[in-house]
Amino acid sequence: MKSFFDYERPELAATLHPSFRATQLFKAVYQRRVENLDSITELSKGERAALASEWDIRLPALYRRFESVDGTRRYLLQLADGELAETVFIPEETRNTICISSQVGCALACTFCLTGQLGLTRNLTAGEMVTQVLFAQRDNLSEEQIDSFNIVLMGMGEPLHNYDNVMKAIRILHDKHGLNMSMSRMTLSTAGLLPAIQRLAAEPHIPNLAISLTGATNTKRNELMPINRKYPLEELLAAVRQFPLKHRQRVTFEYVLLKGVTDSLEDAQNLVKLLRGIRAKVNLIPLNEADELDYRRPSEMAIQRFQQVLIDNGIAAYVRKNRGNDISAACGQLKKMVV
Ligand code: SAH
């Protein structure tokens, strides 16, 4: 059986006769959310049976679900080969966020991130990313709210290390006869894979870009994010300066605040210098602490002081709220924890 969720509509159309069946199936599966191809009554019985024997539209099995006191939910979804994909649903008053993984584990080994300690097991397929979204959507949103969510590729893995599958998943999610997610509702977060950022810049459809920065000088960033030794800050920021932005669109920079390491006034000033001339928004993420990490979270005062330097220099800076910390669902905490 072939996984339906791995296919873009044009690919599907090329395998089906008549080809407009692809659009019918997309609407049935993504918009009407049928769980069984046999229930698509506009098709003949024979046709339904033939499709059902060829195409698998089952979502992955739920392995574990964890609920935070703040309403955040973390899912471990079991994939065909037994591996687990980790997904987080973050409810908010004005909009909900579905955070999906692009890989099992991660190869980048950032020193403050638990996923980085796992190493990379494998890339996820496009279908395995699409079904994370569908699972979280169907498990959390009622009929009236069914489309009120944004997607962030900020779960396990480095999306740009899995470029082709990630872009395919984005196109499937964007399809107007499918979930019809606009590009402005999807954000791809990267630790800074330079050639892939340049490739992304040339795509016809581009999601929002977020860059995980965390060090504002090469010396510091080399220590914290080994990828910086390959693609240093000046080259990374030069590529971001070239990145095409729509009217009023901005690049997001994620900056993890580590006590005594990245939280000084000098660090804040270095960050201001680095971002000069870029239409940027900064999300400050106070470290989510863990026993396995040697770093500490700064005090509230240090966090505010850092934020104020950015604001005083005309940079939009927000402190990311800590969500799902009690269920290991917060930034940098995803590591397939099953308890
Ligand atoms: N590999 C991509 C996608 C992961 S996004 C990237 O690096 O952008 C995960 C975000 O969580 C990154 O911005 C990372 O900097 C942040 N993060 C990692 N570990 C963290 C921790 N312990 N506390 C807070 N944020 C963390």
Side-chain angles (χ1 to χ4, degrees):
M1 287 246 272
K2 294 183 277 200
S3 169
F4 178 82
F5 304 107
D6 261 330
Y7 285 73
E8 293 174 54
R9 198 159 45 92
E11 286 180 310
L12 199 60
T15 74
L16 294 177
H17 308 286
S19 60
F20 66 79
R21 289 275 178 269
T23 300
Q24 282 180 318
L25 290 184
F26 253 60
K27 285 183 177 167
V29 171
Y30 290 108
Q31 300 185 352
R32 299 209 304 278
R33 298 180 296 286
V34 301
E35 283 171 20
N36 187 335
L37 289 175
D38 214 33
S39 55
I40 308 180
T41 48
E42 66 253 46
L43 305 179
S44 75
K45 258 200 145 140
E47 222 171 339
R48 283 185 256 162
L51 287 169
S53 69
E54 191 176 354
W55 296 97
D56 188 357
I57 62 163
R58 283 171 308 172
L59 299 188
L62 178 65
Y63 182 76
R64 290 267 200 292
R65 185 176 78 176
F66 303 88
E67 306 227 9
S68 165
V69 290
D70 68 21
T72 298
R73 287 175 165 175
R74 178 169 71 98
Y75 299 86
L76 290 172
L77 302 179
Q78 189 140 40
L79 307 172
D81 64 353
E83 286 297 338
L84 298 173
E86 200 154 13
T87 309
V88 182
F89 180 85
I90 308 147
E92 273 157 298
E93 254 159 52
T94 49
R95 90 208 134 129
N96 302 295
T97 303
I98 296 175
C99 175
I100 64 170
S101 294
S102 55
Q103 299 180 310
V104 180
C106 184
L108 295 189
C110 301
T111 57
F112 50 89
C113 179
L114 294 184
T115 309
Q117 298 185 349
L118 293 176
L120 177 64
T121 302
R122 71 166 171 89
N123 283 334
L124 294 180
T125 63
E128 287 167 341
M129 288 179 257
V130 170
T131 50
Q132 290 178 62
V133 174
L134 300 181
F135 200 104
Q137 179 197 32
R138 293 175 191 185
D139 198 51
N140 289 283
L141 301 172
S142 62
E143 199 60 42
E144 308 83 72
Q145 284 192 302
I146 198 79
D147 291 324
S148 63
F149 62 91
N150 295 334
I151 297 171
V152 297
L153 281 135
M154 296 186 185
M156 270 205 205
E158 166 51 49
L160 294 184
H161 249 166
N162 185 14
Y163 190 93
D164 292 335
N165 293 347
V166 162
M167 290 314 293
K168 186 175 196 185
I170 287 175
R171 287 191 299 271
I172 294 171
L173 294 164
H174 178 62
D175 193 296
K176 66 174 188 292
H177 295 300
L179 282 191
N180 194 20
M181 292 290 299
S182 76
M183 284 292 152
S184 63
R185 285 166 59 203
M186 295 192 268
T187 300
L188 186 157
S189 179
T190 177
L193 264 67
L194 190 54
I197 293 174
Q198 288 159 336
R199 197 173 157 201
L200 183 65
E203 292 280 350
H205 300 291
I206 309 177
N208 296 315
L209 179 66
I211 306 275
S212 295
L213 216 47
T214 298
T217 61
N218 280 323
T219 319
K220 236 168 226 187
R221 200 164 185 265
N222 283 344
E223 278 302 308
L224 300 167
M225 300 179 65
I227 187 76
N228 194 70
R229 294 173 209 159
K230 198 157 174 193
Y231 307 117
L233 277 173
E234 58 282 1
E235 292 175 25
L236 174 61
L237 274 295
V240 172
R241 284 191 166 81
Q242 305 265 311
F243 199 79
L245 293 177
K246 296 225 173 70
H247 181 57
R248 296 175 66 172
Q249 194 184 13
R250 292 179 293 190
V251 175
T252 301
F253 290 89
E254 294 150 287
Y255 187 97
V256 181
L257 289 167
L258 307 165
K259 183 177 184 174
V261 184
T262 63
D263 66 343
S264 72
L265 286 179
E266 194 189 344
D267 293 320
Q269 269 136 14
N270 285 334
L271 185 55
V272 169
K273 268 186 235 151
L274 211 57
L275 299 185
R276 200 150 280 157
I278 299 181
R279 267 152 62 191
K281 163 185 149 181
V282 175
N283 275 338
L284 299 170
I285 318 178
L287 176 77
N288 292 309
E289 294 184 352
D291 290 344
E292 298 91 325
L293 301 173
D294 290 335
Y295 303 104
R296 287 279 160 259
R297 181 193 181 92
S299 67
E300 285 309 310
M301 233 177 63
I303 295 170
Q304 278 177 26
R305 192 182 58 174
F306 194 99
Q307 180 186 22
Q308 199 57 48
V309 174
L310 301 184
I311 292 172
D312 289 346
N313 282 278
I315 297 174
Y318 306 89
V319 178
R320 190 177 285 175
K321 265 192 265 151
N322 183 342
R323 303 290 303 264
N325 203 29
D326 54 336
I327 55 162
S328 298
C331 303
Q333 293 191 315
L334 300 187
K335 58 158 197 170
K336 298 193 278 187
M337 276 242 297
V338 294
V339 288

